[in-house]
Amino acid sequence: MNLKLLDYGLRSLWRRFWKRFTVIIIFSLLVFLLVSVFSITTSLQKELGITLEALPELIVQKMSGGRQTIIPADRAYEIATIPGVSTAIPRVWGYYYFASANVNFTVVGQDPDLESYKLKYSELFDLNASLLDTLSEPYFFAGRGVVDIINKYYFKDEFFFITSNGQVLTLALAGTFTDESVLETNDVILMPEDVVRELFDIYEDDATDIVVRVPNPYEIEVVKQKIQFLYPDCRIVSKSQIESSYQNVFDYKSGLFLALLIPAFMAFFTMVYDKSSGLSLEEKREIGIMKAVGWRVEDILILKLIESGFISLFSFFSGVALSFFFVYTLDAPILKNLFIGAGNLKPSFQLIPMIDIHILSLSFMAIVPIYILATIIPAWKTAIIDADEVMR
Amino acid sequence: MIRFDAVDLIFNLGQVNEVTALKQINLSIQKNEFTLLRGASGSGKSSIFSLIAGLVKPTSGDVVIDGKSIAKIPDNHAAMMRRDKIGVIFQKFNLIHDLSVFDNMTLPLVPSEMSIRDIRSRTEGILNDLSLMDKLDTSVRYLSGGEQQRVAIARALINNPKIILADEPTANLDQALVESFLQIMHRLKGKGITILLASHDPIFSDLEWVDRTIDISHGELL
């Protein structure tokens, strides 16, 4: 590599500074948007994948009038006898509407099925569980989002719930879910099962739904059919159905964002088209002068490669760095909320930092070679024409 | 040093807009000779320069520089020959206006193997000769016409050429600058450089150190 050529190429970038600066800004912005959207979706899918992994294979819900209703808990015993089922556990949970903040909390009865969150009891909370022994009143654990909301309304160590019968139920806040579980637990309140029953007026023999574990994936469909046969009034939701519905939402939103990127791509390709369709008179004159004073065609092409390579690589890495900063340091304000708007409380979790080589390769290929070629081809076309004109 | 053997130069050969720029040119220029090429605009002076510089190839005939035919050499070899042997002073100087004096004059050496140190020392010598040392880092857009011309001369000299081609170098200069230019050319002749100067400025006709004057009209030597 001729260092003088490299030096000349880099210094000549300062000429026509604003033109090149504009190109860098547009390219960086395009890479930033592209990598940000892909990073958020990949990161969220990764996070969601971890969550979905812990879901039970089947959830049995009783339906009445087209809506989910309370299910007799003893159906769990019958379901548990179906070959292939390892466990069938009735769950008690519901949504608690906190009118002051106009939000719903997901209230879950504490039962031995903590496994469904795939986290050990001791890892689940920030507060030491041994403190529970010292609490005299009923307690609850809450997700980070719930705690933030109730703190805004001056509730610190306890919260007054209104039961389905209109009674006030005072519960002590015994702990907060750890940040690691925030995607799943942000809007969750966990409390003893009997307290949930009191809160939602659910009889002891009833449950909200039944979670069914089926270890052998080949038996899931058969077990599902058997439960359906056994309880035709029930809806049986499989893990794969939940996964695909989440996937659909992500695919839809990713597609929406990619559509929003179209104007940015249009700007990029317009610039590329403008560049590839020919050089300015000034640029042509410069190439003519270079040839006239002894530059070979390959020298001119190397110079253009240095210039366009620097611009496109600088833009690419700036865009990627900006995107990583935006997504993983600033936690993707606006963009992330648009992706995770399904919950009543948007979880304020940190996205999992991931460097996806496929995303980077795709963005790289979409920007760098195209711009380099769009610069080099017209320069080559000019350089192979006789530089005789500059003599005239 | 420079020889043209029955050179024809026809542009757009066989097309409707075919133009014959040069017809059967036979020419021989010796080393250290100062040759004045005289003729009206469009007479073919610049075409002769383009042929010597290897920027165009003759339609027929041969152009020989230093005993080597350049009529059919590839473009890259022609470029190397320009870089090694020829310095060109253009009529409109053809400087790159947003580059400094240093960058403009060293432009021919950027792709060469010469070290930065050698380039710098060569630059200083030439700029001192041309009284441009104090303008080294100045952008040429801020220079006067005379200074720009001296930068163009400096660029033509930077590769230590054996041949200098000066195409209408005084066309855009006032009388004082023309005088200054003549002195520089005289000095270069004294250094043993072969100079071919195209001009229809009558001032060159009266110079006693011009070795030879060639008149050209409508692509033919008179």
Side-chain angles (χ1 to χ4, degrees):
Chain A
M1 182 68 176
N2 185 332
L3 291 179
K4 293 197 299 298
L5 205 55
L6 180 67
D7 175 61
Y8 182 87
L10 294 179
R11 278 189 301 118
S12 61
L13 289 172
W14 289 103
R15 300 191 288 136
R16 304 185 192 103
F17 175 80
W18 289 111
K19 187 179 171 187
R20 276 154 182 163
F21 182 71
T22 308
V23 171
I24 286 174
I25 292 292
I26 290 177
F27 284 9
S28 301
L29 200 64
L30 186 67
V31 174
F32 163 75
L33 286 172
L34 207 59
V35 176
S36 294
V37 169
F38 281 131
S39 295
I40 292 169
T41 51
T42 311
S43 190
L44 283 175
Q45 279 178 310
K46 177 90 177 166
E47 182 105 37
L48 201 67
I50 295 167
T51 309
L52 291 173
E53 217 171 278
L55 282 176
E57 283 72 32
L58 296 170
I59 298 172
V60 181
Q61 302 168 333
K62 188 172 186 302
M63 305 299 288
S64 174
R67 300 175 66 181
Q68 188 188 346
T69 185
I70 296 300
I71 188 169
D74 59 1
R75 289 189 180 186
Y77 302 115
E78 289 180 61
I79 292 170
T81 61
I82 296 172
V85 174
S86 64
T87 56
I89 299 167
R91 293 194 304 190
V92 180
W93 64 279
Y95 295 115
Y96 181 80
Y97 179 62
F98 181 36
S100 303
N102 191 28
V103 292
N104 277 316
F105 302 141
T106 304
V107 179
V108 179
Q110 186 187 5
D111 59 24
D113 194 34
L114 286 172
E115 211 182 320
S116 63
Y117 288 90
K118 207 190 171 186
L119 293 164
K120 288 193 172 68
Y121 190 82
S122 58
E123 294 169 352
L124 196 59
F125 308 107
D126 282 337
L127 188 71
N128 192 327
S130 64
L131 279 178
L132 290 175
D133 301 337
T134 64
L135 290 170
S136 55
E137 56 188 321
Y139 59 87
F140 71 101
F141 295 100
R144 188 72 62 198
V146 175
V147 173
D148 289 345
I149 291 280
I150 64 174
N151 282 349
K152 273 187 195 166
Y153 292 88
Y154 308 106
F155 295 100
K156 296 293 176 197
D157 300 326
E158 57 184 15
F159 187 73
F160 307 129
F161 291 90
I162 309 294
T163 69
S164 300
N165 297 325
Q167 306 294 311
V168 174
L169 187 64
T170 306
L171 300 181
L173 175 61
T176 309
F177 287 96
T178 56
D179 286 340
E180 287 74 25
S181 62
V182 72
L183 183 67
E184 308 100 278
T185 62
N186 195 55
D187 68 341
V188 168
I189 290 175
L190 188 67
M191 58 179 70
E193 193 177 299
D194 57 328
V195 180
V196 179
R197 289 181 185 283
E198 187 183 348
L199 181 63
F200 294 138
D201 196 22
I202 300 172
Y203 295 124
E204 204 167 332
D205 294 338
D206 290 334
T208 309
D209 55 22
I210 296 169
V211 294
V212 181
R213 292 281 180 189
V214 183
N216 185 349
Y218 297 107
E219 290 179 341
I220 294 171
E221 197 54 37
V222 179
V223 170
K224 186 180 171 184
Q225 284 171 13
K226 284 183 178 173
I227 297 171
Q228 191 72 79
F229 182 74
L230 206 55
Y231 302 111
D233 59 342
C234 285
R235 175 173 69 184
I236 298 106
V237 182
S238 67
K239 185 178 175 179
S240 61
Q241 281 175 310
I242 296 171
E243 278 173 352
S244 62
S245 72
Y246 272 110
Q247 192 62 50
N248 286 343
V249 171
F250 271 105
D251 288 348
Y252 167 73
K253 291 193 173 181
S254 302
L256 202 66
F257 274 100
L258 287 177
L260 290 175
L261 284 178
I262 287 174
F265 271 108
M266 289 292 281
F268 171 70
F269 285 112
T270 304
M271 198 178 284
V272 165
Y273 175 78
D274 177 57
K275 200 147 185 56
S276 59
S277 58
L279 301 175
S280 67
L281 279 177
E282 187 62 22
E283 287 169 316
K284 283 182 181 173
R285 180 176 163 272
E286 247 183 70
I287 289 176
I289 293 170
M290 286 169 177
K291 277 199 79 181
V293 300
W295 285 50
R296 295 170 299 175
V297 173
E298 65 192 71
D299 298 326
I300 293 165
L301 295 186
I302 291 171
L303 176 73
K304 293 296 168 188
L305 181 69
I306 291 167
E307 288 177 3
S308 57
F310 179 85
I311 287 175
S312 51
L313 287 173
F314 183 81
S315 305
F316 176 75
F317 287 115
S318 302
V320 170
L322 201 64
S323 165
F324 282 3
F325 178 74
F326 174 76
V327 174
Y328 300 123
T329 306
L330 299 181
D331 208 26
I334 302 170
L335 275 185
K336 190 177 81 175
N337 288 344
L338 291 172
F339 268 103
I340 55 170
N344 294 92
L345 284 179
K346 289 167 184 165
S348 61
F349 60 92
Q350 283 285 316
L351 292 163
I352 303 169
M354 291 177 64
I355 295 178
D356 188 327
I357 203 73
H358 295 104
I359 294 171
L360 295 181
S361 306
L362 180 73
S363 310
F364 184 90
M365 294 307 288
I367 302 287
V368 177
I370 292 175
Y371 182 72
I372 289 177
L373 284 177
T375 305
I376 284 185
I377 290 172
W380 171 74
K381 280 183 184 170
T382 304
I384 56 169
I385 298 171
D386 290 331
D388 180 48
E389 279 180 30
V390 296
M391 298 291 286
R392 297 171 190 281
Chain B
M1 184 77 188
I2 302 170
R3 200 177 76 230
F4 278 50
D5 294 330
V7 170
D8 284 324
L9 181 62
I10 303 169
F11 293 113
N12 309 318
L13 183 66
Q15 294 175 30
V16 184
N17 55 346
E18 181 179 301
V19 176
T20 302
L22 295 173
K23 276 183 263 180
Q24 288 298 299
I25 301 292
N26 289 291
L27 179 66
S28 181
I29 296 166
Q30 302 307 310
K31 191 180 174 196
N32 196 27
E33 201 172 31
F34 189 111
T35 305
L36 174 64
L37 200 55
R38 207 164 50 180
S41 293
S43 58
K45 303 188 297 289
S46 295
S47 295
I48 288 180
F49 279 11
S50 293
L51 284 165
I52 295 171
L55 291 170
V56 290
K57 293 182 174 53
T59 310
S60 64
D62 199 5
V63 178
V64 179
I65 308 282
D66 258 354
K68 289 179 186 164
S69 168
I70 63 161
K72 288 176 183 167
I73 59 170
D75 278 350
N76 278 353
H77 288 79
M80 300 287 274
M81 181 202 70
R82 282 195 292 281
R83 189 190 303 169
D84 294 341
K85 293 183 178 173
I86 296 173
V88 185
I89 303 165
F90 302 97
Q91 179 178 349
K92 291 172 187 165
F93 313 143
N94 277 331
L95 300 172
I96 299 174
H97 290 113
D98 43 10
L99 287 184
S100 67
V101 168
F102 177 83
D103 287 332
N104 264 289
M105 69 177 290
T106 57
L107 191 65
L109 300 181
V110 170
S112 75
E113 299 298 321
M114 190 181 283
S115 70
I116 296 275
R117 180 182 296 187
D118 289 345
I119 290 175
R120 284 219 166 258
S121 70
R122 193 181 282 193
T123 306
E124 283 172 18
I126 294 169
L127 287 180
N128 278 327
D129 276 358
L130 295 171
S131 308
L132 274 173
M133 198 58 203
D134 57 328
K135 305 284 185 187
L136 189 67
D137 296 318
T138 309
S139 170
V140 294
R141 75 169 77 247
Y142 301 116
L143 300 183
S144 67
E147 287 169 331
Q148 288 193 12
Q149 191 200 45
R150 278 184 279 156
V151 176
I153 296 169
R155 185 178 62 191
L157 296 176
I158 193 71
N159 56 345
N160 218 1
K162 293 178 178 172
I163 301 166
I164 284 185
L165 305 173
D167 190 12
E168 300 282 7
T170 57
N172 300 309
L173 302 180
D174 60 32
Q175 190 57 37
L177 293 173
V178 171
E179 294 288 344
S180 163
F181 176 75
L182 291 177
Q183 286 173 16
I184 295 167
M185 286 294 109
H186 193 200
R187 282 214 307 271
L188 291 176
K189 177 174 159 53
K191 290 181 177 177
I193 296 175
T194 305
I195 300 172
L196 198 64
L197 188 145
S199 177
H200 51 264
D201 190 337
I203 195 166
F204 291 101
S205 309
D206 304 328
L207 295 173
E208 57 185 27
W209 45 271
V210 171
D211 299 307
R212 189 170 162 202
T213 300
I214 297 171
D215 289 307
I216 183 167
S217 177
H218 297 101
E220 291 179 283
L221 299 186
L222 300 178

